[in-house]
Amino acid sequence: MTRRLLISTFSVCFAFALAHQTVMPGHALSADTASAPTNLVRNGGFEEGLTGWSTFWTRDRGAGRARLDSATKHGGRQSVRLEHTGRHDWSFSPNLKLAVRPGELIELSAWVRIEGSGEVTLGAIAYDKSQRVVDWGYGGRTLRGSQPWQQLRTRLVISDDVTHIAPRLTGNGPATVWLDDFSVRRAGHLDDLRQPNLPAEVSARSKTLAFTLRTKDGTFSIRDLRDGREWTQRSLGRSGVVLRAEAQGLSVRWQWFLPTRDLTVRAVAKLEADRPELVVCLTSTGELAAPLRYPHPFLTAPPSYLVVPMNEGISYPVDDPTIRQRRLIAYGGHGICMAFFGATDGQAGYEAIIETPDDASIRIARLDGRLCIAPEWDPQKGRFGYPRRLRYVFFNQGGHVALCKRYREYVRDQGRLVTFLQKRKKNPNVDLLIGAVNVWCWERDALGIIRELRQAGIQRILWSHRQPPEGIRTMNEMGILTSRYDIYQDVMNPANFPKLRGVHPDWTTPAWPDDLMIGANGDWVRGWRVRGKDGRWYPCGVLCDRRAVDYARKRIPEELKTHPYRCRFIDTTTASPWRECYHPKHPMTRSDSRYWKMELLRFVSEEMNLVTGSETGHDAAVPYVHYFEGMLSLGPYRVPDAGRRMSEILEEVPERVAKFQVGHQYRLPLWELVYHDCVVAQWYWGDYNNKLPSIWDKRDLFNVLYGTPPMFMFNRRLWRENRERFAKSYQTISPVARATGYSEMTDHRFLTPDRAVQQTRFANGVVVTVNFGQRPFRMPDGTQLAPMSHHVAGLSGQ
């Protein structure tokens, strides 16, 4: 059932169950409000039974009931006990529909007790002036799992598009919930909290930028003094108020208060004196129960496109209605893999560099039908934690290339730009990686397959599947980069071993249960799931990152004594997010998690002197790794179940793969523009060059354009049936990847308005032009570039 249908079904059920009573702003249901805010809910303590309350609604028919309970209560004579056995959502609400005005503060409070695995949320349905629902969970605050009596509170700040709210308690999943002392009170207005005579705007100016803070809503605007262009923010929803603000030289300081959370944030925007940049710093000492979205997003307009470093990189035209709004974390490979985002019209644009990315995310949203990006700051173990910093950079030319080059400069200044030339000095085997095809093949006669590859002209090979010692030595003598898979995340409960079809040799079984990651709920964190003999799924636990290095120290040096690998692939480390651990013996913040993940990779690459790869990729690991499997493959647009059905060849191309994964209208080589000469980007092992034969040619063209090597996965039969095609793929791609591997990508441009013809340039003079289109393209020197073809200049002498 689609979300639209679910909402429609709920609206009918809710309308039927709820006898709405409207209360006008400033008028309570009962008497005098002069001395204290009046509870607008009749019978919030259930002393009159269920009078004034709606029927208990459940999505699963017959899955719930509401009963009075005099034995378990918070106050008074009784509470209401809500028993829910269904898997889906439920709702219980007073018969109240409250008229509200923009900026008004409404406080909701309820005492709840929970038994079971479900969750409970206190919030409201928000309606616009036409009585259409604009938000089903307005201002929601949630508790999960079994809880003793707790006061669940939230404060709603009424946004401009909301005229009425219907407070309620909702939930998901099986649980028994006791509810008592439910209250709804008017708590004033945002304007009442502000200092008197606060100016509408506070400004500061540098040589290149003029900054203006609007104290009404905490948005700001930037005027570029070089060309007069203005960048303006808009709030995604009324959430806070500026209490006070002042300008001090190149800085503007203000207090940003969020009444829904009782959180005061001190904000400073400081302009750079000689550059078109400013840094916004946010500090607070309070609790942070949910992500903080601030500063607000900049408005966009066509023909601009968002620049998002999701894996290799993608652009989203701001007026494209097909783009899904989404949240992307900055602290893991399945989010943004470099800590920046922005928007550009192809020349002018802005960039936001997240200087504190360990607990940060971005939100791709819409304002006035146009896509925009808002930064979000996640809690650090439930608190605001350390100062959060965001650097804004404004460009009047250069487009997405300029954004990438500024970010490259930023990471170089931090000492995190470590090139292959530097890495090769420490480990000469790095040179074996440059231009090498990554081959995944599980055939026992690996040497026989390799000899056939060499006979077909495929010379430079990264062989990723483990081998016996004799095979490794022979491959090393042949100049093959010998590698094997390894992992320091998944730990299966050994009690489940008899139920499974097999036991993974790389599970760190001794870690169960003492070295597992513990979540905020006190339970062990679930990881990869394995289907058992009985058809059930059994989850692995997640090894705490603080403990992972110790297990690697026990495993790898001992193995290398007999198995002389030159390379190692460490799965999941840069794909899975930095996590918080609440185990008393090995607690971690996300920053700690990042540190220990990088220590694991540093140990493998530096202490073990191995060429090192990891999954998907994140630029925190650039100093320690040499390649990422999955960086080229945009995470949300891979084939379904790509991580489990790796070797299955698919004839039908899923729509999302055709549109985005190999969509030349959307893709951008952002990773290459920053890190091409530092880390090799490869396709994912469930999304490789020959995975979908009908788009194999197009994948090859992206490899050529980006200067990245191919990935093949095959068995003996598939190899022999497609020998010539594999050889063609390698011979098309590898010379370019080899020639450009040590060089920075200096430029990427679209040569046609439809982006069908694209060109990349590298620091050593190599220029690659690719025609993804269906029509020939005439290059400036008269060369005719046929459809689905490429042209490379500057290869001689490389």
Side-chain angles (χ1 to χ4, degrees):
M1 186 179 291
T2 65
R3 177 174 172 82
R4 184 179 298 276
L5 181 56
L6 290 175
I7 290 175
S8 300
T9 303
F10 180 83
S11 64
V12 172
C13 296
F14 188 83
F16 179 80
L18 181 62
H20 292 305
Q21 181 170 354
T22 300
V23 183
M24 296 306 294
H27 296 78
L29 278 174
S30 55
D32 185 32
T33 61
S35 57
T38 300
N39 185 3
L40 304 178
V41 176
R42 177 187 172 185
N43 189 29
F46 304 100
E47 301 304 291
E48 302 173 35
L50 296 178
T51 301
W53 286 80
S54 70
T55 302
F56 184 34
W57 177 88
T58 63
R59 186 171 304 284
D60 298 325
R61 187 183 300 274
R65 64 177 185 170
R67 296 286 187 271
L68 296 172
D69 191 334
S70 59
T72 303
K73 56 189 184 295
H74 174 260
R77 294 183 295 108
Q78 58 194 6
S79 68
V80 64
R81 185 175 70 248
L82 307 173
E83 300 172 354
H84 184 248
T85 58
R87 297 173 52 203
H88 300 104
D89 53 320
W90 55 264
S91 174
F92 188 59
S93 55
N95 298 334
L96 174 65
K97 189 174 183 181
L98 188 67
V100 292
R101 57 197 176 96
E104 190 174 7
L105 306 178
I106 305 295
E107 290 184 347
L108 312 184
S109 173
W111 282 86
V112 295
R113 176 183 170 185
I114 310 171
E115 289 184 359
S117 59
E119 65 180 33
V120 174
T121 300
L122 178 66
I125 302 175
Y127 300 87
D128 64 13
K129 62 182 179 182
S130 300
Q131 298 307 295
R132 291 177 301 209
V133 174
V134 297
D135 194 335
W136 292 98
Y138 200 60
R141 189 64 62 88
T142 299
L143 288 175
R144 294 178 176 87
S146 296
Q147 303 279 350
W149 280 109
Q150 289 198 39
Q151 187 178 22
L152 192 55
R153 300 177 61 187
T154 184
R155 185 183 292 174
L156 312 183
V157 182
I158 305 303
S159 55
D160 293 342
D161 57 343
V162 173
T163 63
H164 293 79
I165 62 168
R168 61 180 184 156
L169 192 74
T170 62
N172 265 289
T176 299
V177 179
W178 286 265
L179 171 65
D180 206 352
D181 299 330
F182 191 105
S183 67
V184 178
R185 305 178 191 275
R186 298 188 188 275
H189 195 278
L190 282 180
D191 291 342
D192 300 333
L193 305 176
R194 306 171 70 192
Q195 74 176 64
N197 304 316
L198 182 67
E201 296 182 346
V202 179
S203 300
R205 177 183 294 241
S206 69
K207 293 179 179 179
T208 56
L209 299 177
F211 172 91
T212 299
L213 171 72
R214 287 183 288 273
T215 58
K216 176 183 177 181
D217 56 10
T219 61
F220 51 78
S221 63
I222 301 292
R223 186 159 61 90
D224 192 326
L225 301 178
R226 297 168 298 175
D227 57 13
R229 182 182 296 268
E230 187 154 337
W231 298 88
T232 302
Q233 292 185 342
R234 172 96 57 86
S235 172
L236 284 171
R238 196 156 194 168
S239 59
V241 59
V242 175
L243 300 182
R244 51 185 49 84
E246 63 176 350
Q248 295 179 346
L250 292 171
S251 301
V252 172
R253 302 175 180 270
W254 67 98
Q255 285 189 358
W256 176 244
F257 179 60
L258 292 93
T260 58
R261 312 188 193 189
D262 288 327
L263 180 70
T264 300
V265 177
R266 293 174 297 280
V268 180
K270 183 177 181 180
L271 294 159
E272 298 282 0
D274 299 315
R275 303 185 73 163
E277 300 183 10
L278 73 144
V279 176
V280 176
C281 182
L282 308 177
T283 58
S284 181
T285 57
E287 294 184 357
L288 192 63
L292 169 65
R293 188 182 302 162
Y294 193 71
H296 299 299
F298 283 107
L299 292 171
T300 60
S304 293
Y305 52 90
L306 303 184
V307 178
V308 183
M310 172 200 292
N311 307 120
E312 177 67 50
I314 196 164
S315 64
Y316 290 135
V318 299
D319 57 347
D320 188 336
T322 69
I323 304 303
R324 188 184 123 199
Q325 300 179 69
R326 66 173 71 238
R327 184 176 190 264
L328 296 169
I329 61 172
Y331 46 85
H334 290 289
I336 54 173
C337 297
M338 297 181 283
F340 73 90
F341 61 88
T344 178
D345 60 8
Q347 287 297 324
Y350 85 89
E351 176 179 31
I353 297 175
I354 306 171
E355 295 194 346
T356 50
D358 286 349
D359 298 280
S361 304
I362 65 171
R363 175 77 60 177
I364 298 176
R366 279 190 173 85
L367 284 170
D368 298 334
R370 310 302 190 198
L371 292 170
C372 60
I373 302 181
E376 292 188 349
W377 307 106
D378 293 347
Q380 185 188 55
K381 289 203 163 182
R383 302 192 64 80
F384 191 95
Y386 53 91
R388 313 299 182 98
R389 295 193 308 275
L390 193 67
R391 175 178 296 271
Y392 289 100
V393 185
F394 297 88
F395 304 91
N396 53 21
Q397 61 184 359
H400 62 269
V401 175
L403 272 67
C404 289
K405 293 310 171 184
R406 178 62 186 94
Y407 186 71
R408 182 178 167 99
E409 178 188 1
Y410 171 78
V411 294
R412 179 192 289 117
D413 291 344
Q414 289 193 321
R416 293 195 290 118
L417 190 80
V418 183
T419 68
F420 281 129
L421 290 176
Q422 295 169 287
K423 294 173 181 178
R424 189 179 64 181
K425 290 179 181 178
K426 296 181 179 180
N427 184 353
N429 288 329
V430 168
D431 190 64
L432 296 174
L433 175 71
I434 307 303
V437 56
N438 188 345
V439 175
W440 281 99
C441 176
W442 284 264
E443 291 286 346
R444 290 188 177 182
D445 183 19
L447 287 171
I449 294 288
I450 288 174
R451 291 187 178 101
E452 292 184 26
L453 289 169
R454 285 284 177 84
Q455 290 169 5
I458 300 174
Q459 300 298 318
R460 305 188 67 81
I461 301 170
L462 162 60
W463 189 266
S464 288
H465 184 49
R466 70 178 72 206
Q467 296 295 310
E470 304 78 21
I472 299 171
R473 292 188 183 95
T474 302
M475 290 184 187
N476 288 343
E477 292 169 1
M478 297 171 68
I480 304 297
L481 182 56
T482 49
S483 184
R484 70 95 132 185
Y485 174 99
D486 201 357
I487 185 170
Y488 297 91
Q489 173 171 290
D490 295 328
V491 186
M492 177 62 74
N493 183 349
N496 292 331
F497 286 178
K499 306 172 186 177
L500 307 179
R501 294 183 176 90
V503 176
H504 198 293
D506 295 320
W507 285 340
T508 51
T509 302
W512 187 280
D514 291 344
D515 290 336
L516 296 187
M517 192 94 67
I518 302 298
N521 61 357
D523 197 7
W524 54 276
V525 176
R526 271 63 174 171
W528 184 255
R529 297 185 308 148
V530 179
R531 189 190 292 273
K533 299 173 186 176
D534 56 3
R536 294 176 54 196
W537 289 96
Y538 294 89
C540 290
V542 173
L543 176 66
C544 181
D545 297 315
R546 184 184 289 270
R547 300 292 297 117
V549 182
D550 290 341
Y551 287 92
R553 288 185 183 278
K554 294 175 183 178
R555 175 184 296 170
I556 298 176
E558 190 65 25
E559 183 185 49
L560 289 179
K561 292 177 182 178
T562 56
H563 294 67
Y565 291 108
R566 292 169 164 173
C567 178
R568 208 170 188 96
F569 173 71
I570 309 298
D571 198 14
T572 76
T573 298
T574 53
S576 61
W578 320 158
R579 290 184 171 99
E580 295 178 337
C581 182
Y582 291 80
H583 197 295
K585 293 183 179 179
H586 42 80
M588 294 191 308
T589 63
R590 289 193 189 94
S591 296
D592 295 330
S593 175
R594 171 185 51 78
Y595 171 81
W596 288 108
K597 282 174 177 279
M598 297 310 110
E599 272 297 286
L600 172 62
L601 297 173
R602 187 200 61 78
F603 167 73
V604 176
S605 65
E606 295 184 4
E607 293 189 38
M608 295 294 95
N609 202 35
L610 293 170
V611 176
T612 304
S614 193
E615 183 191 356
T616 301
H618 190 283
D619 78 337
V622 167
Y624 314 110
V625 302
H626 305 95
Y627 68 100
F628 286 130
E629 285 194 14
M631 181 59 76
L632 280 181
S633 298
L634 310 178
Y637 307 122
R638 298 171 184 174
V639 298
D641 213 10
R644 295 184 185 273
R645 301 163 60 188
M646 298 100 65
S647 60
E648 183 178 350
I649 302 300
L650 302 178
E651 298 301 328
E652 185 174 342
V653 181
E655 179 184 1
R656 69 187 186 196
V657 175
K659 183 173 182 177
F660 295 109
Q661 191 68 272
V662 292
H664 57 268
Q665 300 94 337
Y666 292 97
R667 291 193 64 122
L668 294 175
L670 304 181
W671 181 266
E672 309 311 318
L673 285 163
V674 179
Y675 291 120
H676 181 267
D677 56 339
C678 300
V679 179
V680 172
Q682 300 175 353
W683 299 105
Y684 182 59
W685 75 342
D687 187 53
Y688 39 89
N689 289 68
N690 59 298
K691 176 75 173 181
L692 296 118
S694 61
I695 58 171
W696 191 342
D697 288 343
K698 195 165 189 181
R699 283 192 194 272
D700 287 358
L701 288 178
F702 275 113
N703 281 122
V704 173
L705 183 68
Y706 294 177
T708 57
M711 176 187 286
F712 301 153
M713 185 177 290
F714 52 68
N715 55 26
R716 185 183 302 275
R717 178 192 58 80
L718 190 62
W719 155 249
R720 289 183 173 173
E721 289 177 355
N722 298 273
R723 175 188 175 109
E724 291 76 17
R725 182 63 189 86
F726 282 114
K728 175 188 173 185
S729 184
Y730 174 86
Q731 291 157 5
T732 297
I733 300 168
S734 186
V736 180
R738 177 66 181 169
T740 63
Y742 290 102
S743 294
E744 176 187 353
M745 180 187 283
T746 57
D747 193 22
H748 168 257
R749 62 183 62 183
F750 305 113
L751 302 187
T752 57
D754 62 359
R755 299 188 173 186
V757 183
Q758 301 184 23
Q759 187 176 84
T760 52
R761 292 177 178 269
F762 297 86
N764 64 349
V766 173
V767 179
V768 181
T769 308
V770 167
N771 184 359
F772 293 107
Q774 299 178 350
R775 296 188 300 272
F777 175 77
R778 184 176 295 278
M779 297 176 63
D781 64 358
T783 301
Q784 192 83 349
L785 195 58
M788 291 298 293
S789 70
H790 71 282
H791 178 271
V792 183
L795 274 184
S796 60
Q798 299 297 334

